[in-house]
Amino acid sequence: MSSDKTSTARHVIAQHPARRDDIGDLVTRRPLPGPQLEQLDPFLFLNHHGPQTYPANNGGLPFGPHPHRGFETVTFILEGSLAHADSTRHQSVIHAGGVQWMTAGSGIVHAEISPEEFLRDGGPLEILQLWVNLPARLKMSKPHYVGLQHDDIPSLALPGGGELNLIAGQWDAQTGPIHSLTGVFMSTLKLPAGTRETLPVESGRQVFLYVVEGNVEVGGEPVEPHHLIEVDRAGDRLVIEASSDARLLFGHGEVIDEPIYSHGPFVMNTREEIVQAVEDYQNGKFGGLDA
């Protein structure tokens, strides 16, 4: 990190509210894409499900088998649990504090549903899902999945009293358990009230900062819970101060700066590639899930 004499703090450009878009009985908020922000290159999409409490004998999450191509999904299980199965034969149940990182690449079918115990007993649920774009040269990469439990993710103490859970990338001498294809840094932050942290970010990289809960200031500007905070790309540090206990999603990545053509679960560079993705899926080239 640069010295205080030469380093420059990032400034807030805009705050993008997460708008309600419930899926059945699943409370859902979405800040990206939004009316004023189509993407935050390379970050494409964020759904915030919950927080809510499910009763016993519930129907669980509604995300049965569906396809993806051309990007990566990162799923943060803040409360509750999530059962994953996909056409590359990966299966897992990830619990609170865990993360799933899936490279859809050339094509995958997966399901994200509630495990049997959650359907039977119910309980609290809160999940974030982030879509991260891939450049054209990597869109047809081999599909890949990693499921991490809470204990698999390093918890690092920050100088001001906060905590950073390191998922991908490097923080000081520590390396996160996920090796991103595009060098994305990804973490979650817990900031107790009164915490002030200075987070290094290489100049030019796109910051992804979402306030899950709590009241904080970014670069001296108060920001709202359930908002995606857009900051400039000129500085090399981000200063965050919490006035109440807060949780945030904090990442950054290189800007891809390529055309995007998307259709539902497919994100490619051209319309022709979307047509091909639909045909490939319909012809069974993504594989399927075991019954």
Side-chain angles (χ1 to χ4, degrees), residues 164-209:
L164 183 145
N165 295 300
L166 180 61
I167 297 160
Q170 284 197 289
W171 187 268
D172 292 333
Q174 187 84 33
T175 300
I178 297 294
H179 300 283
S180 163
L181 289 177
T182 55
V184 166
F185 174 89
M186 189 57 58
S187 71
T188 58
L189 296 173
K190 291 184 179 179
L191 303 180
T195 300
R196 185 179 188 274
E197 302 291 356
T198 299
L199 310 174
V201 182
E202 184 181 343
S203 179
R205 287 174 69 87
Q206 186 79 265
V207 166
F208 191 91
L209 186 69

Side-chain angles (χ1 to χ4, degrees), residues 106-158:
S106 61
I108 198 168
V109 176
H110 77 145
E112 300 161 299
I113 59 175
S114 299
E116 291 295 330
E117 312 86 75
F118 189 88
L119 298 176
R120 182 189 66 230
D121 302 333
L125 181 78
E126 187 172 14
I127 292 173
L128 305 173
Q129 185 170 91
L130 174 67
W131 292 11
V132 182
N133 200 14
L134 290 171
R137 64 183 178 83
L138 294 174
K139 282 190 176 294
M140 297 299 285
S141 297
K142 183 179 179 180
H144 184 65
Y145 169 84
V146 178
L148 302 172
Q149 302 292 358
H150 176 268
D151 291 344
D152 298 325
I153 301 170
S155 176
L156 308 179
L158 298 176

Side-chain angles (χ1 to χ4, degrees), residues 5-287:
K5 292 182 179 179
T6 59
S7 64
T8 306
R10 301 280 186 112
H11 296 100
V12 174
I13 296 174
Q15 302 187 44
H16 302 279
R19 298 174 180 271
R20 283 290 290 269
D21 188 15
D22 293 355
I23 303 170
D25 61 356
L26 178 62
V27 173
T28 301
R29 297 176 176 87
R30 184 178 307 115
L32 187 71
Q36 276 75 50
L37 192 65
E38 185 175 341
Q39 64 160 324
L40 196 62
D41 187 2
F43 306 103
L44 300 168
F45 173 99
L46 180 68
N47 261 356
H48 183 176
H49 303 299
Q52 66 192 100
T53 301
Y54 275 74
N57 302 312
N58 64 82
L61 293 168
F63 305 117
H66 57 281
H68 289 300
R69 172 180 277 181
F71 61 100
E72 299 185 288
T73 66
V74 189
T75 308
F76 308 81
I77 298 86
L78 304 182
E79 295 287 347
S81 55
L82 180 62
H84 167 95
D86 65 47
S87 53
T88 66
R89 302 299 180 258
H90 286 107
Q91 294 189 7
S92 65
V93 176
I94 305 298
H95 301 283
V99 172
Q100 297 180 154
W101 194 296
M102 188 182 78
T103 302
S106 61
I108 198 168
V109 176
H110 77 145
E112 300 161 299
I113 59 175
S114 299
E116 291 295 330
E117 312 86 75
F118 189 88
L119 298 176
R120 182 189 66 230
D121 302 333
L125 181 78
E126 187 172 14
I127 292 173
L128 305 173
Q129 185 170 91
L130 174 67
W131 292 11
V132 182
N133 200 14
L134 290 171
R137 64 183 178 83
L138 294 174
K139 282 190 176 294
M140 297 299 285
S141 297
K142 183 179 179 180
H144 184 65
Y145 169 84
V146 178
L148 302 172
Q149 302 292 358
H150 176 268
D151 291 344
D152 298 325
I153 301 170
S155 176
L156 308 179
L158 298 176
E163 174 187 327
L164 183 145
N165 295 300
L166 180 61
I167 297 160
Q170 284 197 289
W171 187 268
D172 292 333
Q174 187 84 33
T175 300
I178 297 294
H179 300 283
S180 163
L181 289 177
T182 55
V184 166
F185 174 89
M186 189 57 58
S187 71
T188 58
L189 296 173
K190 291 184 179 179
L191 303 180
T195 300
R196 185 179 188 274
E197 302 291 356
T198 299
L199 310 174
V201 182
E202 184 181 343
S203 179
R205 287 174 69 87
Q206 186 79 265
V207 166
F208 191 91
L209 186 69
Y210 177 70
V211 185
V212 178
E213 63 178 357
N215 296 297
V216 301
E217 291 185 0
V218 177
E221 180 173 330
V223 300
E224 297 288 330
H226 299 158
H227 279 63
L228 176 64
I229 311 305
E230 185 180 2
V231 302
D232 67 350
R233 300 208 304 265
D236 60 4
R237 57 190 170 97
L238 194 65
V239 180
I240 305 178
E241 188 166 0
S243 54
S244 68
D245 291 351
R247 287 195 297 177
L248 302 96
L249 178 57
F250 168 55
H252 50 80
E254 294 287 348
V255 174
I256 295 173
D257 194 23
E258 292 178 353
I260 288 179
Y261 204 104
S262 62
H263 177 72
F266 309 122
V267 181
M268 304 300 289
N269 296 101
T270 68
R271 181 183 183 278
E272 291 73 21
E273 289 171 329
I274 292 293
V275 171
Q276 187 65 57
V278 173
E279 290 181 0
D280 288 349
Y281 170 60
Q282 291 175 340
N283 290 331
K285 293 184 178 180
F286 288 18

